[in-house]
Amino acid sequence: MRLRGTSRINERGHLEIGGCDVTELARVYGTPLYIYDEALIRQKCREFVDAFRSSGVPFQVAYASKAFCTMAMCRVVAEEGLSLDVVSEGELYTALRAGFPPERIHFHGNNKSPDEIDMAVGARVGCFVVDNFYEMEVLCDVARRRGVKVRVLLRVAPGVEAHTHEYVMTGQTDTKFGFDLESGAADRALEEAARMETMEVVGVHAHIGSQIFETAGFRATAEKLGQLAARARERTGVTFSVVNVGGGFGIRYTEEDRPLAVSDYIRAVTDAVRTAFGRIEGYPLPEVWVEPGRSVVGEAGTALYTIGSWKEIPGIRRYVAVDGGMADNPRPALYGARYEAILANRANEPADTVVTVAGKCCESGDMLIRDCRLPDPRPGDLLAVFCSGAYQYSMASNYNRLRRPAVVFVRDGAADVVVKRETLDDVVGNDVLPERLKGRGPA
Ligand code: PLP
């Protein structure tokens, strides 16, 4: 089993992260618990920045906050000098409440509401990544009313299919995101935006998918954006100063995953943009922006559960159930995501038993890990699921009225709660019992 970041097995045979014994974290904070290795988050941020610095290409690295968005995460990202991609008023509000510099916030989303746009214009975010004609109109109205000029990137669907799961593939023509190149919508959108006095078109954006292990998709995207840039300059006089190729850099959930190093992804991206734009006569090299989410936080997060019930179906399989499941991690049910795990309290023992780890939600599809090798798990054991930092807590729900877990950041032997576990009162906190339903019948 590959341990990441500051994780290690200590003298007591327990998993330790950030200098904290995980069994102790479970005792103090309970389970399910999301544990983030803060040093590893910071290391990943720096890998992106360092890779760009050595490429010599002007850049911005915007952390895609959808992967995991809390005020503490926003602070860490701000301290590391990254920008931030937000897609909703909630993510924007979180960032602003955390004191994130608004000029480094990029506002995304395929259906930004007029109120969200107004909030973001009012907050003076750094740029809008405009997704469709309707948004362009609303944004223009809001900017005019507020008397400001907004910086925009246009999101393009480049017609590039990243080799990844269908549900996280976004670059193909038939996608809900962005202006497609094939029908000419992207060219028209650029012409329209260039005419608007309230907008400064700074560049284009494309995000082709997630958990990508190859560089071909990024090269093909840069080519298409280069061609679009040449046409746009000819037709509108606009020169892109920014090319944003999105995120999607893969990570290793299981031994079978073969991601590239961050530096290799960034070299491929910067080379591709250099080549594609170098081919256009007299075109200044644009800034290259990326938006990594998973590759910044995915490996830094560990989900910790307590094992409870189990059942054996002779000749078929043994199930063990944990105290969380699809409510805190919908990824296996959504797209068959796979994970590796160990028993955090018996980490040195031989993993000689194959079990299927089930969640506690009322869905047959609520399986966290199929065919997981563990040392004969028993009720009370602690299951640590690695690579749980991205798109888990941020996708968590209260299905079956489970309480959303607590989140701790660990570093140098200290743990800080960054999100409290929900209480039962939180679970019913927004429920309203109308007068007419109160006090009737047995209560
Ligand atoms: N940028 C955009 C526009 C996205 O939609 C996403 C993910 O959905 C990301 C960046 C981050 O992707 P990842 O977490 O795979 O790096």
Side-chain angles (χ1 to χ4, degrees), residues 64 66 85 108 155 205 207 210 247-249 291-294 391:
K66 68 206 78 177
D85 145 7
H108 268 274
R155 178 161 182 173
H205 170 284
H207 168 81
S210 226
F249 314 110
E291 294 164 343
R294 187 189 315 274
Y391 305 106

Side-chain angles (χ1 to χ4, degrees), residues 88 169 178 243 252 264 307 339 355 368 405:
S88 70
M169 204 157 76
V243 171
R252 179 172 286 142
D264 291 333
I307 290 177
Y339 291 91
V355 297
L368 281 184

